[in-house]
Amino acid sequence: MGPSALRTAGLVNELRSLGYDTQDRGNIQPAPQRSVHHPNAILKGLAETVAWTEAIAQAAYEASADGVPICIGGDHSLSAGSMTGLARRAAEQGRAFFVLWLDAHPDVHTLTTTTSGNLHGVPMAYAMGLSSFENVFPPVAAPIDPLNVCMMGIRSVDAAEREVVRATGLTVHDMRAIDEQGVVPLLDAFLKRVSAADGVLHVSLDVDFLDPAIAPGVGTTIPGGATFREAHLIMEMLHDSGLVSSLDVVELNPFLDDRGRTAILLVDLVASLMGRRVLDRPTQSLGYISKPDA
Ligand code: MG
Ligand code: MG
């Protein structure tokens, strides 16, 4: 229901009103299910997730030839498909693939280390090519270099994930880092690296990155998330950088939302990322201010 809620909240019209030629390619259908097995018996929906990963990877790969794909979900396991499809495209273009991961969680469990069995906790480990996925998930054509990943907003990390972060050298800016330094220097340093490498930048936005007080429509609410302004500032900086090639918006659960306000916030954040500015918004009290580009 997440994609439907984002459509209802006006995502496509918002992008069109910003001047983008926007196509809604509809809901993706999963590939035919294969029989797959892994010794960790706790894994939930394994065959379904593998089938979805195959289809999403292909769709993201194809869409990246035509423009800026925005993949809306749904479970964060979506990113197992989107990131591997998009990284494959970048590799074929001979360009480095970078990921900005906005989430309360690093989602770097492997199929072996997860104790919840929730596959929304594994996409980053899979896309980096960590072991345990072979012969279960589709092969990863172009594993993501952990040094090209920057995570922000992290505030819930399991012990096994902490070990992956340590061993791989992933950049993780937890909420304390944001509290102490603010988002600007943390994001700016990463964007400079992407730019210096002439890299392709993918952004993966999990709703639980945001504080549950402003974004209640998610199944994994963790207090102490990013504020409204921190989130918009990140999106505005990303737009200014001109570096973003693709985006995931995931984990919206409209059944847990409060009269659609999480969906509307997400549409607003995507609009910020795509270039909407506060002064462009028609409001009654500011109606006399002409648009800067008018
Ligand atoms: Mg996540
Ligand atoms: Mg999360």
Side-chain angles (χ1 to χ4, degrees):
M1 297 300 291
S4 301
L6 289 167
R7 288 182 173 113
T8 304
L11 179 60
V12 173
N13 282 342
E14 191 60 48
L15 293 169
R16 285 187 182 142
S17 77
L18 288 168
Y20 294 100
D21 176 10
T22 309
Q23 244 183 50
D24 182 349
R25 296 197 169 179
N27 291 342
I28 292 174
Q29 297 304 313
Q33 257 185 53
R34 295 182 282 114
S35 153
V36 289
H37 300 283
H38 188 274
N40 187 353
I42 204 173
L43 299 174
K44 296 172 190 159
L46 181 61
E48 290 91 328
T49 310
V50 168
W52 278 107
T53 300
E54 213 173 294
I56 295 168
Q58 186 60 26
Y61 173 78
E62 286 168 12
S64 62
D66 307 334
V68 176
I70 301 178
C71 309
I72 56 177
D75 193 269
H76 211 165
S77 57
L78 173 156
S79 301
S82 64
M83 291 195 295
T84 49
L86 296 163
R88 177 184 155 207
R89 171 72 64 194
E92 288 176 4
Q93 294 169 336
R95 296 178 68 191
F97 186 71
F98 289 79
V99 178
L100 177 66
W101 187 263
L102 303 172
D103 197 328
H105 312 88
D107 296 346
V108 286
H109 269 295
T110 68
L111 296 183
T112 311
T113 65
T114 176
T115 52
S116 71
N118 292 325
L119 293 175
H120 59 224
V122 309
M124 184 53 86
Y126 167 66
M128 294 192 304
L130 300 194
S131 66
S132 79
F133 297 92
E134 54 278 358
N135 304 319
V136 182
F137 275 68
V140 178
I144 297 173
D145 181 348
L147 300 180
N148 289 355
V149 176
C150 175
M151 298 191 164
M152 295 180 77
I154 305 294
R155 56 198 187 281
S156 174
V157 185
D158 293 341
E161 293 184 300
R162 202 164 285 139
E163 178 52 27
V164 170
V165 168
R166 192 200 59 74
T168 57
L170 281 172
T171 299
V172 174
H173 298 307
D174 60 10
M175 281 310 298
R176 176 170 177 172
I178 292 180
D179 290 343
E180 290 183 348
Q181 301 175 57
V183 299
V184 174
L186 302 175
L187 182 56
D188 193 50
F190 180 62
L191 294 175
K192 284 200 170 92
R193 287 181 46 217
V194 180
S195 173
D198 187 28
V200 169
L201 176 58
H202 175 69
V203 178
S204 199
L205 170 63
D206 183 320
V207 175
D208 69 25
F209 167 70
L210 303 162
D211 193 88
I214 56 166
V218 63
T220 50
T221 50
I222 316 253
T227 66
F228 182 88
R229 270 313 306 162
E230 284 164 344
H232 271 287
L233 182 53
I234 288 171
M235 297 302 153
E236 289 159 7
M237 287 177 68
L238 287 170
H239 176 73
D240 292 349
S241 78
L243 293 167
V244 177
S245 299
S246 50
L247 171 70
D248 301 326
V249 181
V250 298
E251 294 287 346
L252 172 62
N253 184 339
F255 287 106
L256 302 174
D257 203 0
D258 169 22
R259 291 172 297 166
R261 72 186 171 114
T262 309
I264 291 167
L265 173 58
L266 289 170
V267 169
D268 281 343
L269 289 171
V270 175
S272 275
L273 172 58
M274 300 306 286
R276 189 172 76 186
R277 294 189 173 272
V278 173
L279 288 180
D280 289 345
R281 292 190 213 180
T283 66
Q284 279 197 319
S285 59
L286 294 176
Y288 59 88
I289 295 179
S290 60
K291 289 173 70 172
D293 58 349

